């Protein structure tokens, strides 16, 4: 793998994340063109050559469904043209990059660390004890929830890539993500970040590598044990901070988002269940300027139930075909965290950030397919 390829991919990931966060339309178009240029480069170097089993079939089904339903989405919103073609480009790029796990993990690490450093520097400069600095980091273009949601999304993809590539747990960046989410104070991102920390530390305990069986294994067990004791000891302080300094203090349910879900669900009848319901007459339009704050509502609104069904089908296929119970559980957990966070922010389905969701899926799919192919060729059960 060339360093230039890592840099090219990291530039794309960083650019698509920042441009979508600020929702700068000229920059979004430029990044989309850059995405297609990357796809052409991947095609020229032969990444798409050969049969890649269930991953290629899943990609073909999803793209076919999105193209077939394109007129329906465009009828709902002319902006759907951009979202659909940027989503498809991101998904195909995720499929291409997943053939090279080391490229995926190094580019994701570079992207994640760059974004985390930018946020931490901003926090260090503007943080005050009684202020929430991330609320203004995008200059009013979006709330802090968007910032922390993107970090959670990229972190989830990096955890998947590092595990598939090196069987390692990305604990350092995950703890940094938790810190950023705590400063961002949004309840959904905090819960998602805590879930990622639990996933990573669980990985550290159960992964079976040579290093695990000596000093490193017991050191990791001791570290987790100390962390648990620390959480118990400081539980009252942690509870106070959660109550006073984050939205968790007002409960786990956001009433405004719950109202939007309630309004949208009550607009669904037999036909709109299939083709998607409109926002007219709901709080989504009346109070939130057409932003449903929910990726699944937005997906159903544009594409209807068949699109959601295909997404669910591909996700389940990936989980069951991940190559073992442990990997299936890990993949299900990571996808669960992403979908949970997307349930209160319209960050995926369909957006250019679908790249991150599907690179998780395709990394696991193609790793399992590669190992299965290797086993068939060798006639023995060993890791290839």
């Amino acid at each position: 793998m060339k360093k230039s390829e890592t840099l090219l991919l990291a530039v794309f990931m960083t650019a698509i994340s920042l441009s979508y966060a600020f929702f700068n339309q000229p920059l979004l178009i430029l990044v989309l063109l850059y995405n297609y240029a990357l796809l052409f480069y991947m095609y020229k170097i032969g990444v798409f050559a050969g049969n890649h089993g269930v991953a290629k079939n899943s990609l073909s089904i999803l793209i076919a469904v999105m193209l077939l339903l394109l007129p329906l989405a465009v009828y709902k919103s002319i902006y759907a043209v951009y979202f659909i073609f940027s989503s498809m480009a991101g998904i195909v790029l995720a499929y291409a990059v997943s053939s090279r796990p080391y490229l995926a993990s190094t580019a994701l690490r570079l992207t994640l660390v760059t974004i985390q450093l930018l946020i931490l520097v901003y926090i260090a400069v503007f943080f005050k004890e009684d202020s929430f600095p991330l609320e203004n980091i995008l200059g009013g273009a979006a709330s802090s929830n968007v910032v922390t949601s993107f970090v959670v999304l990229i972190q989830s993809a990096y955890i998947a890539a590092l595990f598939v590539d090196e069987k390692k747990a990305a604990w350092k960046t995950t703890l940094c993500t938790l810190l950023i989410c705590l400063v961002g104070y949004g309840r959904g991102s905090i819960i998602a970040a805590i879930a990622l920390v639990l996933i990573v530390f669980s990985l550290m305990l159960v992964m079976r590598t040579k290093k695990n069986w000596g000093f490193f294994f017991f050191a990791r067990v001791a570290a987790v044990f100390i962390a648990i004791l620390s959480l118990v000891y400081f539980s009252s302080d942690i509870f106070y901070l959660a109550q006073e300094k984050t939205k968790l203090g007002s409960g786990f349910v956001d009433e405004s988002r719950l109202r939007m879900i309630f309004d949208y669900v009550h607009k669904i009848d037999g036909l709109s269940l299939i083709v998607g319901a409109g926002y007219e007459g709901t709080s989504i339009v009346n109070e939130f300027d057409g932003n449903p704050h929910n990726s699944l509502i937005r997906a159903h609104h544009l594409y209807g139930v068949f699109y959601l069904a295909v997404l669910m089908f591909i996700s389940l296929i990936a989980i069951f075909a991940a190559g073992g119970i442990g990997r299936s559980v890990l993949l299900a957990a990571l996808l669960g965290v992403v979908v949970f966070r997307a349930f209160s922010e319209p960050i995926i389905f369909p957006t250019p950030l679908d790249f991150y969701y599907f690179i998780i899926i395709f990394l696991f799919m193609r790793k399992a397919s590669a190992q299965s192919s290797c086993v068939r060729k060798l006639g023995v059960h060993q890791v290839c």
Side-chain angles (χ1 to χ4, degrees), residues 33-164:
L33 295 175
Y34 183 52
N35 189 339
Y36 280 105
L38 281 177
L39 288 176
F40 179 74
Y41 172 76
M42 293 287 182
Y43 171 77
K44 293 293 289 185
I45 64 175
V47 170
F48 294 101
N51 182 18
H52 303 290
V54 66
K56 190 171 186 177
N57 293 335
S58 299
L59 174 68
S60 300
I61 291 171
L62 180 59
I63 297 300
V65 169
M66 293 180 74
L67 288 174
L68 286 172
L69 296 176
L70 178 61
L72 176 63
V74 174
Y75 175 77
K76 302 282 184 61
S77 171
I78 190 62
Y79 294 107
V81 174
Y82 166 77
F83 286 111
I84 291 164
F85 281 99
S86 63
S87 171
M88 288 192 295
I91 293 169
V92 176
L93 184 61
Y95 170 81
V97 173
S98 66
S99 66
R100 301 184 176 188
Y102 182 71
L103 172 61
S105 66
T106 51
L108 280 165
R109 178 169 58 245
L110 181 56
T111 302
L112 179 61
V113 171
T114 299
I115 292 176
Q116 286 180 335
L117 283 175
L118 289 173
I119 294 173
L120 290 174
V121 168
Y122 186 90
I123 291 172
V125 173
F126 293 99
F127 180 77
K128 296 178 182 178
E129 184 178 354
D130 296 322
S131 68
F132 304 107
L134 293 188
E135 196 65 24
N136 300 312
I137 192 171
L138 297 177
S143 70
S144 62
N145 287 330
V146 172
V147 178
T148 54
S149 296
F150 284 20
V151 176
V152 166
L153 182 60
I154 301 170
Q155 181 68 64
S156 301
Y158 177 54
I159 291 172
L162 188 63
F163 174 78
V164 170

Side-chain angles (χ1 to χ4, degrees), residues 96-313:
V97 173
S98 66
S99 66
R100 301 184 176 188
Y102 182 71
L103 172 61
S105 66
T106 51
L108 280 165
R109 178 169 58 245
L110 181 56
T111 302
L112 179 61
V113 171
T114 299
I115 292 176
Q116 286 180 335
L117 283 175
L118 289 173
I119 294 173
L120 290 174
V121 168
Y122 186 90
I123 291 172
V125 173
F126 293 99
F127 180 77
K128 296 178 182 178
E129 184 178 354
D130 296 322
S131 68
F132 304 107
L134 293 188
E135 196 65 24
N136 300 312
I137 192 171
L138 297 177
S143 70
S144 62
N145 287 330
V146 172
V147 178
T148 54
S149 296
F150 284 20
V151 176
V152 166
L153 182 60
I154 301 170
Q155 181 68 64
S156 301
Y158 177 54
I159 291 172
L162 188 63
F163 174 78
V164 170
D165 179 42
E166 301 183 47
K167 280 197 172 181
K168 290 182 179 179
W171 64 272
K172 296 176 185 177
T173 54
T174 305
L175 290 176
C176 185
T177 291
L178 176 59
L179 172 63
I180 289 171
C181 291
L182 287 171
V183 175
Y185 78 93
R187 62 173 72 81
S189 292
I190 292 174
I191 295 171
I194 291 172
L196 290 178
V197 169
L198 293 175
I199 290 170
V200 165
F201 277 94
S202 297
L203 270 179
M204 292 173 68
L205 289 177
V206 303
M207 281 192 301
R208 294 294 183 260
T209 63
K210 291 181 180 179
K211 289 184 178 181
N212 286 142
W213 296 109
F215 170 78
F216 289 98
F217 175 73
F218 290 105
R220 288 173 178 178
V221 172
V224 173
F225 183 69
I226 292 171
I228 293 173
L229 287 180
S230 300
L231 287 174
V232 173
Y233 183 78
F234 294 106
S235 59
S236 59
D237 296 322
I238 294 171
F239 181 77
Y240 170 78
L241 289 172
Q243 282 283 102
E244 299 297 325
K245 300 296 183 180
T246 76
K247 290 182 181 177
L248 290 174
S250 59
F252 288 97
V253 179
D254 187 317
E255 292 185 2
S256 60
R257 283 172 166 79
L258 195 62
R259 187 167 68 255
M260 283 188 277
I261 295 172
F262 181 85
D263 289 350
Y264 185 79
V265 169
H266 276 73
K267 286 209 67 176
I268 296 176
D269 54 26
L271 178 61
S272 60
L273 174 65
I274 298 173
V275 301
Y279 294 152
E280 298 80 8
T282 69
S283 56
I284 297 172
V285 170
N286 297 337
E287 299 178 36
F288 299 98
D289 196 29
N291 182 359
H293 290 77
N294 187 307
S295 294
L296 300 184
I297 287 179
R298 182 173 171 277
H300 183 264
H301 163 70
L302 288 174
Y303 263 146
V305 73
F306 290 115
Y307 173 64
L308 287 175
V310 170
L311 290 174
M312 182 182 297
F313 174 74

